[in-house]
Amino acid sequence: MRTIQIDYPISKSIQTDSERCVMALGFFDGVHLGHQKIIKTAKKLADEKNLMLAVMTFSQHPSSVIKKGKVITNYITPLSEKTEVFEQLGVDLLYVIDFTKEVAKIPHDQFVDDYLCGLNCEHVVAGFDYKYGFKGKGDMEQLPIDSAGRFGVTTAAKLEKHEQKVSSTLLRELISSGRVEQIQEYLGRSYEISAEMKGRGRTCTIYFDPDYYLPCPGHYEVTIIRKNMLQSKGICEVKSVQHPGQLQVTLFNDQLFNDHAKVQLQWNNFIADFEMDAFHAQSDFRELEMSI
Ligand SMILES: Cc1cc2nc3c(=O)[nH]c(=O)nc-3n(C[C@H](O)[C@H](O)[C@H](O)COP(=O)(O)O)c2cc1C
Ligand SMILES: Nc1ncnc2c1ncn2[C@@H]1O[C@H](COP(=O)(O)OP(=O)(O)OP(=O)(O)O)[C@@H](O)[C@H]1O
């Protein structure tokens, strides 16, 4: 997979060198099951049309520039992690737009001209609620009009679970309320952080990209996964005042070596303490009430 950074204004050489493609559009934080539906739909079309499969995303969440509503600065999957998942999904080209104030002001029709047609896009796939262009004026009804017949458009219907849209927002709510055990159902894989581990004996330090979105403060049962090695379980404490990019893990069994090992830290479940027990019980009760 090739990753192409796009600064503003988009350079003529990137446009000239671009390859005919089917393009999936979105920010894709988490690359959850809803996102996978978009990308898999685009891949099927790319295979049928013998075109490259491209994904267009942004280096930072648009809300951090537009500052409308909740500003998102931490991610379920920072760009490096998102890139790995895209590669596993068979993406050939990853366009990463540096989303700046200038980009946010690009009118919807100009975005289509310069970033879709300008990049040789022959078919676009996005979800039902995708928005583009200044003030988010472009949507999936406007896109076929803006395309003016220059490319095809496929709109993916909403993927729901338990009558809720599978979304990055929902995942962030689960993570921030400590319900990490529920993530897998919406992500389609376990909720993990790519990290480096250092330490000997029972206590080790995990070093990771500080852009990761962490669960709420508390103790969590975690699994440390190392390639071709035995997995080890332990307890990880997320503190309210957190050293950015570092976590302490107390392992259930001794760590026999002291090196900077590349690991995946897998969040298994929150270890309830009294206060959170009450919080968890309340939220479960609320869900029960709503389902009756
Ligand atoms: C080139 C471009 C410019 C955009 N400019 C804006 C903007 O000015 N205001 C806005 O609310 N959304 C803008 N968006 C849409 C955002 O990406 C995002 O979809 C929107 O903020 C609504 O997000 P949500 O409804 O998924 O929360 C732009 C998108 C693109 C691709
Ligand atoms: N549940 C879903 N069903 C269908 N399409 C989806 C779903 N969730 C996201 N998409 C589509 O995936 C692409 C990426 O969208 P985006 O990055 O905004 O994800 P999101 O989960 O909606 O994020 P957020 O909750 O922060 O708005 C867009 O084309 C969007 O329409």
Side-chain angles (χ1 to χ4, degrees):
M1 180 176 84
R2 271 187 303 125
T3 300
I4 297 134
Q5 301 289 344
I6 301 183
D7 296 324
Y8 180 84
I10 186 168
S11 82
K12 280 273 169 265
S13 60
I14 289 181
Q15 292 173 319
T16 322
D17 298 346
S18 61
E19 297 181 66
R20 296 165 55 229
C21 68
V22 174
M23 196 183 287
L25 301 177
F27 186 72
F28 298 112
D29 185 22
V31 198
H32 56 63
L33 291 174
H35 297 152
Q36 291 171 39
K37 177 180 174 184
I38 305 297
I39 296 169
K40 287 176 179 169
T41 304
K43 175 150 179 52
K44 188 165 174 295
L45 283 162
D47 292 346
E48 285 163 3
K49 296 170 181 290
N50 196 22
L51 294 171
M52 302 290 268
L53 169 60
V55 165
M56 178 174 282
T57 187
F58 308 120
S59 46
Q60 59 276 45
H61 196 277
S63 64
S64 63
V65 172
I66 295 156
K67 302 224 190 305
K68 177 187 84 176
K70 192 167 173 20
V71 175
I72 291 156
T73 51
N74 289 87
Y75 306 114
I76 304 159
T77 45
L79 185 59
S80 53
E81 184 95 22
K82 230 168 28 174
T83 303
E84 276 191 32
V85 181
F86 288 149
E87 189 132 39
Q88 287 160 16
L89 291 171
V91 174
D92 302 304
L93 292 169
L94 175 58
Y95 289 111
V96 182
I97 299 176
D98 180 19
F99 196 90
T100 59
K101 285 196 176 65
E102 294 77 16
V103 172
K105 291 195 185 102
I106 298 174
H108 60 88
D109 50 350
Q110 187 191 333
F111 173 72
V112 168
D113 293 346
D114 297 351
Y115 290 80
L116 300 186
C117 299
L119 292 174
N120 247 320
C121 174
E122 298 198 0
H123 200 104
V124 168
V125 180
F128 66 104
D129 60 355
Y130 181 69
K131 294 197 190 75
Y132 63 96
F134 184 51
K135 292 193 185 311
K137 281 252 183 321
D139 60 16
M140 295 312 281
E141 275 162 32
Q142 183 63 36
L143 191 55
I145 301 163
D146 288 345
S147 81
R150 292 173 290 179
F151 54 79
V153 176
T154 297
T155 304
K158 177 167 41 173
L159 179 74
E160 290 185 332
K161 273 189 181 278
H162 311 304
E163 290 160 19
Q164 277 192 291
K165 172 192 166 189
V166 175
S167 71
S168 309
T169 300
L170 173 66
L171 287 173
R172 289 185 202 108
E173 284 162 5
L174 289 174
I175 293 168
S176 53
S177 58
R179 289 182 282 175
V180 293
E181 74 284 354
Q182 295 179 28
I183 296 285
Q184 177 143 7
E185 185 181 5
Y186 301 94
L187 208 53
R189 61 186 191 277
S190 53
Y191 171 41
E192 297 178 0
I193 279 185
S194 299
E196 284 209 341
M197 178 170 78
K198 189 159 184 261
R200 200 180 176 84
R202 303 286 296 279
T203 308
C204 57
T205 304
I206 299 285
Y207 299 88
F208 56 93
D209 180 341
D211 280 353
Y212 271 106
Y213 193 78
L214 288 182
C216 61
H219 292 81
Y220 294 83
E221 186 187 312
V222 296
T223 303
I224 303 284
I225 302 168
R226 290 189 66 178
K227 246 195 183 111
N228 317 319
M229 300 284 287
L230 270 178
Q231 300 184 356
S232 20
K233 284 201 170 288
I235 306 289
C236 174
E237 183 186 4
V238 179
K239 298 191 172 90
S240 36
V241 180
Q242 191 59 38
H243 195 297
Q246 278 186 37
L247 282 168
Q248 299 297 322
V249 177
T250 305
L251 297 171
F252 295 155
N253 43 39
D254 276 352
Q255 180 69 349
L256 304 178
F257 21 73
N258 179 9
D259 60 4
H260 250 239
K262 280 207 175 315
V263 297
Q264 290 294 108
L265 180 120
Q266 185 184 86
W267 299 96
N268 300 131
N269 52 275
F270 183 86
I271 298 172
D273 48 34
F274 179 71
E275 295 82 54
M276 281 309 282
D277 244 349
F279 173 78
H280 263 251
Q282 266 169 9
S283 55
D284 292 346
F285 181 69
R286 257 201 312 278
E287 274 163 20
L288 184 68
E289 261 186 329
M290 277 161 60
S291 64
I292 293 172

